[in-house]
Amino acid sequence: MNRIPLANRAIALPLIGLLAAWLSFMGATLANLYVPQPQYGPNGNVFFKEEIFQVAPYLFLLGIAAVAVSSLLAQGLAIKAREQSQDSSSLARAAHRFSTLGIIVGLAGGAIFAIGNFLGAFNSYAGRSESAFLRIFSVYVPILLATGLVVYVLLAAFVFRHDESTNTDGVKQKMSEAQKALGLGYAVPILATAVAIIFGLGVYDVTRTNLQVWVWVIIIAIVAAGVVWGTRFAAKAKSAKAAPPKPRTALAAGAANLNLVLSIIFGSVVTIMAFAFGTDAISKLQTWPQPPINCEGVDCATEPIITGPTWNWFIQELAPAKVLLLLAVVGIYVTITERNKESK
């Protein structure tokens, strides 16, 4: 194995991970075929024959992890190859870019997997079990594992780099304050989103009903707090003085850019949600009366009834929309000011 050049190994590793991912995905697809399908009773009620532990989510996650981890290992080999060639090898540079692409694909796959599990958990016709044990290991644990995978690969690939772990005398470097802030700048928004997802699922499982608007407000508030704190940590790392000979301001700028993108997405989505919830709240003031069953000799035309706003309507329907809009305004303002704060 050592006879194979580092750059070649760096290119081969993500491809091996891709093969492993394909096998895992095919296994997950096969496992899904054995999941008992829902049965429907005479009155249309749905029920499941039996509760089983589903291995498909873990196989899907295993495939994603294979791509991400193999690409992460390949990045280390590519960096060593560039160092050995003093950055003169085009193959080593290509291997570095290729391994970074594999890492990005793995990170995107992990994020999509976690969000997909979150959204799919609300579908009671997707094999959802009533057992708390099976529910935890079918939904919650895969989301936590995916979050851990994304955070680990992200930090290992872009913060605690392979080429920056030791000093010139071979002694392992201690983590600086800027490095800590940099890691938190990347990790905090992701962890906050995971906490918000787990909270939403917990409320859904306890109440067995669709999430109320106020629950969505709390979820958005948790995500907003994560983005704001992530922006603060990224700004702290960006404003720190780089320790020679290897400045870290580029990585800090990457964390700041990550949180900038997250803040833009957050502001856009939450603003749209605020307008949508507000419009829906206003529309609920209009109700349609139930038409008569037999329209013979009776005017079946109905007119909508506009009811006046009440405190109950304001608190349950309109207030959440206003709070969401306030979260969007404050979140955008804080992230912009924190990002562009003058360093002291």
Side-chain angles (χ1 to χ4, degrees):
M1 185 69 177
N2 291 332
R3 295 181 179 179
I4 303 176
L6 288 175
N8 296 75
R9 279 186 271 169
I11 295 175
L13 266 178
L15 298 176
I16 295 174
L18 181 62
L19 294 175
W22 186 88
L23 291 174
S24 294
F25 274 57
M26 295 306 103
T29 304
L30 179 63
N32 275 333
L33 297 180
Y34 293 92
V35 176
Q37 297 300 310
Q39 303 294 320
Y40 296 90
N43 56 355
N45 293 334
V46 62
F47 61 93
F48 299 94
K49 287 185 176 180
E50 58 179 326
E51 299 176 6
I52 63 171
F53 175 77
Q54 298 190 34
V55 298
Y58 293 92
L59 291 175
F60 280 124
L61 183 58
L62 180 63
I64 295 171
V67 173
V69 175
S70 63
S71 299
L72 180 63
L73 296 175
Q75 185 193 59
L77 296 178
I79 290 174
K80 289 181 181 179
R82 294 186 66 171
E83 290 177 347
Q84 290 180 0
S85 66
Q86 296 181 347
D87 209 18
S88 62
S89 172
S90 59
L91 181 61
R93 291 195 296 270
H96 193 181
R97 290 192 294 267
F98 182 64
S99 62
T100 302
L101 175 62
I103 290 172
I104 294 173
V105 171
L107 292 174
I112 293 172
F113 173 85
I115 296 174
N117 253 27
F118 169 66
L119 297 177
F122 293 102
N123 187 356
S124 59
Y125 299 100
R128 174 185 171 191
S129 66
E130 297 296 328
S131 168
F133 177 82
L134 292 179
R135 178 70 168 171
I136 289 173
F137 281 92
S138 296
V139 178
Y140 290 83
V141 173
I143 291 177
L144 292 175
L145 291 177
T147 303
L149 173 68
V150 170
V151 171
Y152 170 75
V153 173
L154 183 64
L155 296 182
F158 301 111
V159 180
F160 310 115
R161 290 281 293 273
H162 302 273
D163 55 340
E164 299 178 350
S165 58
T166 57
N167 293 316
T168 55
D169 57 359
V171 180
K172 190 173 182 179
Q173 292 179 351
K174 293 183 178 180
M175 190 182 301
S176 64
E177 291 299 322
Q179 194 175 28
K180 292 178 183 178
L182 179 61
L184 290 172
Y186 277 109
V188 167
I190 299 173
L191 295 176
T193 303
V195 170
I197 287 175
I198 296 298
F199 170 77
L201 284 176
V203 173
Y204 176 71
D205 284 333
V206 170
T207 61
R208 298 287 180 172
T209 58
N210 291 331
L211 297 183
Q212 299 297 320
V213 178
W214 275 116
V215 178
W216 282 110
V217 171
I218 297 175
I219 292 174
I220 294 299
I222 295 174
V223 175
V227 173
V228 169
W229 280 105
T231 302
R232 287 186 173 182
F233 285 123
K236 180 180 178 181
K238 189 176 181 180
S239 62
K241 294 182 179 179
K246 295 178 179 179
R248 306 189 60 85
T249 52
L251 288 177
N257 290 333
L258 169 66
N259 284 277
L260 173 63
V261 173
L262 291 176
S263 63
I264 293 173
I265 296 174
F266 166 79
S268 302
V269 172
V270 176
T271 300
I272 293 173
M273 290 178 65
F275 277 88
F277 284 162
T279 302
D280 183 64
I282 298 298
S283 65
K284 287 183 178 180
L285 294 176
Q286 182 188 66
T287 58
W288 290 82
Q290 187 70 25
I293 299 177
N294 187 1
C295 293
E296 293 184 5
V298 180
D299 185 9
C300 285
T302 57
E303 294 291 335
I305 299 174
I306 308 298
T307 58
T310 62
W311 280 110
N312 185 57
W313 168 84
F314 178 82
I315 294 174
Q316 293 187 3
E317 305 294 343
L318 188 62
K322 291 187 175 182
V323 174
L324 284 176
L325 187 60
L326 182 63
L327 283 173
V329 171
V330 174
I332 293 172
Y333 174 80
V334 172
T335 52
I336 292 176
T337 54
E338 287 291 333
R339 177 179 171 82
N340 297 280
K341 182 183 293 184
E342 295 291 338
S343 58
K344 297 180 180 179

